Amino acid sequence: MFDHEWLWPGFLAFVALVLFFDLFVLHRKDRVITTREAFLTVAGYVSLAMLFAASIFYFEGRQRGSEFLTGYLVEQALSLDNIFVIALIFSYFKVPPEAQYRVLFYGIVGAIVMRLSLIVPGVHLVDQFWWVGALLGVVLLYSGYKMMMHDGDMADPGNSRVVKWLRSTGRVTDEYEGSKFLTRRNGVLFMTPLFLVLVTVEVTDLVFAIDSIPAVLAISNDPFIVFSSNVFAILGLRALFFVLSGMMREFRFLKHGLSLVLIFVGAKMIIQHWYKLPSELSLSVVAALILGSVLLSWLIKEGEGEETPEHLAAVDRAKHGE
């Protein structure tokens, strides 16, 4: 287990530096992100993750390195489903394309803070009480089953209790004001619709964290491995959104692969008190399930009834008589 005193503050400082460079150097001006630029950004973040993984293999050995790669792969795969929901949120609230990257940036910052507050005590609880791990394993089994049986119906983002409460305050403007989350009118502070979008994205990430954090806890008992694998996957989520948000229809079997991953890591978490699967085996199984579902989606094209963000947007417009 990592126990270097400098490791946590050093890693958090590195993450803060990367985020600062991303927002205030590469994307300091609000603009539409091109697919090419997003793809290069994703490649950069994946390269950073692989360099980090190589350093873990070198300094900490094969087991810790495999745990990091498995956690990173699981979190990255689960974030693909999150991308679909974010696309629906952006479509529902009609977020201007040039403001989307900034929303995702602050959403990522909130997600990192949220995971830090959940992962450290989560690892401690699983270490202290074996039945906590077994209980989380049952949660993952249910989540995997629910994802497998999911019929594709998505909740209306505008009907969430948080959004309804914020709107009921009478302090939400009707129009966007560039990339501002808050604005002043006659000396009174108002929320813009972009603030509602940010809150909805954060609530959505909290829901996804209920699946993703226990999934990585099933892979490693080292809080630094769990947190760092989560963070590296989350860092590239913004750019990955602009690469894949219009392509999710192509991955029609991905949800099935993800559900099997959750079922596998759930079963692993239940039995780990009696038998701990080798980390290399876990990495192989997770990689095979994810890559297999992607390959199957590529081989078997165009499924009837698949819902895309564009289709959901059209349904939403029809509901509102537009």
Side-chain angles (χ1 to χ4, degrees), residues 127-234:
D127 278 344
Q128 292 295 315
F129 308 101
W130 71 267
W131 54 267
V132 173
L135 183 61
L136 291 175
V138 173
V139 171
L140 289 174
L141 287 178
Y142 175 72
S143 297
Y145 168 79
K146 188 171 62 174
M147 183 180 290
M148 181 74 75
M149 298 294 114
H150 189 54
D151 60 5
D153 293 331
M154 302 297 297
D156 188 340
N159 282 333
S160 72
R161 293 182 180 179
V162 176
V163 171
K164 284 184 175 180
W165 178 76
L166 290 174
R167 281 177 168 162
S168 70
T169 63
R171 292 289 185 87
V172 181
T173 63
D174 294 327
E175 302 295 333
Y176 288 95
E177 296 194 15
S179 60
K180 292 182 179 179
F181 296 107
L182 302 171
T183 186
R184 285 192 178 276
R185 292 187 175 179
N186 298 323
V188 179
L189 196 63
F190 279 79
M191 297 170 281
T192 70
L194 204 61
F195 184 82
L196 298 186
V197 175
L198 178 61
V199 170
T200 306
V201 169
E202 294 290 6
V203 172
T204 299
D205 182 72
L206 177 60
V207 173
F208 274 90
I210 295 173
D211 287 339
S212 65
I213 292 177
V216 185
L217 288 176
I219 294 163
S220 177
N221 65 346
D222 190 314
F224 185 76
I225 290 288
V226 177
F227 180 67
S228 60
S229 61
N230 264 254
V231 168
F232 272 107
I234 292 171

Side-chain angles (χ1 to χ4, degrees), residues 291-304:
L291 295 178
S293 63
V294 172
L295 180 61
L296 194 61
S297 300
W298 181 72
L299 292 175
I300 305 176
K301 298 285 186 180
E302 192 61 29
E304 293 294 330

